[in-house]
Each structure stands twice: as structure tokens, then as C-alpha cells.
Amino acid sequence: MKNNPLNGAWEVRGVIGTRIEIDAPHIVVLWRNSPVLTTTFKKKKLDDGIELVLKHRGMRCENADSDYAEMRELLYKDGKLEMTEYFPITGESRDTLEKTDKSRFGNFTIVDEVLCELKGKWRDEYDHFTLKFSGNTLTLGDEKIRVHVLRSDSGYPTNLQIVNEDASVYEVFCFMSLEYTGSFIIGRIMVYDASPMEVVFRRV
């Protein structure tokens, strides 16, 4: 199966939305990095490609009681996946997905070795927040999450990104982003109708 052209990750170019990960005969369909369909498939040869016949087709958000859409058709043609979904309210929707070497985090490399530098407590100048790093666990007050450190493969942003281990969660606690400059940590909090508020953390 190593040379199976279907295997790997597929995304709609330039869009943060649907992602498909295939390790034949297993397939995972994700929406904004959250799995909404995990199933197996069989291949059906067509004159101009291959149809992926899924065992299950219902797409459902985690903890939801019902499906929000159905995977009507998934075709492999000319090195791309052509996907047709059906939504009860809006009807059919079609997208073309292309192979990508990006992880669920996008154009970033995980550099968790940096967590050794972050170990310990970091406090903002007004003493409102204290971050504590222990291994890959980050604590703020009574809350704990597991994190990764990411380095941009494009060079932007230039700072290292501290992110939730779950790529479907785009915030870190109350922060829309958390960046490590090598000397201090910058947290940004969303402020509606104004620029994000920056909180600077320094090692305690």
C-alpha cells in the first residue's frame, strides 16, 4: 500500500476547511481539522478514474446527535480527489482536493524540543496571568492543555507558535495566539472592534 497514490493527505487549495487523510482502506474526513467521518472504503474502477466507495457516508460533528451532511461521491481523477457532499438545507456541494505534504497544523514543522526552553513559570507584567510549562503540558490557573511548538516553514510568522495539541482547537486558553520569541512569550487576546490586546510574558 505504500505506493498507493490515494494514500496521504488531501486539501482544498488555499482553504481552511475540508481535509481528507487516507491510509487505504481507511479514510478520515475532517472539517477544520476535526474528524467528521472515519470509515473504510473499497475502490471501484471507472473509465476515467477510481470511485472510493465508503462504508459509511454520514458526516457528523463530535458529540452531535445527527449527521449534518452526507458524502455523496468521492472520485480520484487526474491526481485529484473530486468530492460531492449533500447538505439537507443547501443541497449538493462540490470541491476538488489536491495532495498536500502539510500536517493538520498547516505549513509548519513541530519542534517540541523547544519545550525544554519553556519549562517553568512565565508571568505577565501586570501579574494577571501565569503560564506554567511542564513537558508538553501548559497550565493557566486551573486549566491544563497539551501543546506543540511550531516553526513556520515559510518564515512567516517569524516567532515560534505555541498551539493546542488538538489541531482543531485554534486558541490557547483565552489567547487567539501564543508566540515564543526566544526571550519572551506574546499572547494575543481578541478585542472586538479593536486591535488584539498583547500580553507579554517573561520567565519568573
Side-chain angles (χ1 to χ4, degrees):
M1 290 294 183
K2 288 184 178 180
N3 297 322
N4 189 334
L6 294 172
N7 284 347
W10 302 79
E11 294 181 345
V12 179
R13 183 181 291 275
V15 175
I16 300 176
T18 300
R19 176 182 170 96
I20 293 178
E21 298 173 351
I22 298 176
D23 184 8
H26 303 281
I27 181 169
V28 180
V29 181
L30 305 102
W31 172 250
R32 293 185 64 83
N33 288 324
S34 182
V36 293
L37 173 59
T38 300
T39 187
T40 57
F41 69 92
K42 293 182 179 180
K43 294 186 291 184
K44 179 181 177 181
K45 291 186 177 180
L46 306 175
D47 291 339
D48 56 349
I50 298 172
E51 179 181 0
L52 282 64
V53 182
L54 307 188
K55 183 176 182 179
H56 301 289
R57 295 179 177 272
M59 301 165 69
R60 181 179 302 194
C61 296
E62 186 178 8
N63 299 323
D65 295 326
S66 60
D67 298 339
Y68 69 84
E70 175 189 341
M71 181 69 74
R72 278 282 171 90
E73 190 176 57
L74 192 60
L75 304 176
Y76 175 72
K77 292 182 179 180
D78 302 322
K80 299 179 181 180
L81 287 180
E82 297 181 4
M83 176 183 68
T84 302
E85 301 167 289
Y86 176 78
F87 297 84
I89 297 177
T90 58
E92 284 192 347
S93 174
R94 294 180 175 84
D95 271 313
T96 299
L97 294 88
E98 300 180 18
K99 204 69 159 297
T100 179
D101 57 2
K102 296 178 182 177
S103 72
R104 294 183 186 183
F105 294 100
N107 195 24
F108 291 86
T109 297
I110 296 175
V111 287
D112 282 352
E113 58 271 21
V114 176
L115 288 167
C116 294
E117 298 180 27
L118 294 169
K119 183 179 179 180
K121 292 183 178 180
W122 300 72
R123 189 172 295 150
D124 74 287
E125 60 183 319
Y126 301 108
D127 203 19
H128 290 156
F129 303 98
T130 299
L131 299 173
K132 181 182 178 181
F133 290 86
S134 178
N136 69 338
T137 299
L138 176 58
T139 303
L140 176 64
D142 296 328
E143 295 184 84
K144 290 184 178 182
I145 59 172
R146 298 168 75 90
V147 295
H148 285 307
V149 180
L150 307 180
R151 183 190 66 231
S152 172
D153 291 332
S154 66
Y156 180 83
T158 55
N159 295 327
L160 297 176
Q161 306 297 299
I162 301 167
V163 300
N164 196 301
E165 184 183 64
D166 182 350
S168 68
V169 180
Y170 294 89
E171 299 82 22
V172 181
F173 301 124
C174 60
F175 302 102
M176 56 185 290
S177 67
L178 207 57
E179 300 182 2
Y180 176 49
T181 68
S183 300
F184 50 89
I185 296 171
I186 303 172
R188 293 185 175 86
I189 299 176
M190 174 68 75
V191 178
Y192 292 101
D193 300 323
S195 300
M197 180 176 72
E198 289 194 352
V199 181
V200 177
F201 293 87
R202 300 187 186 279
R203 188 183 296 278
V204 177

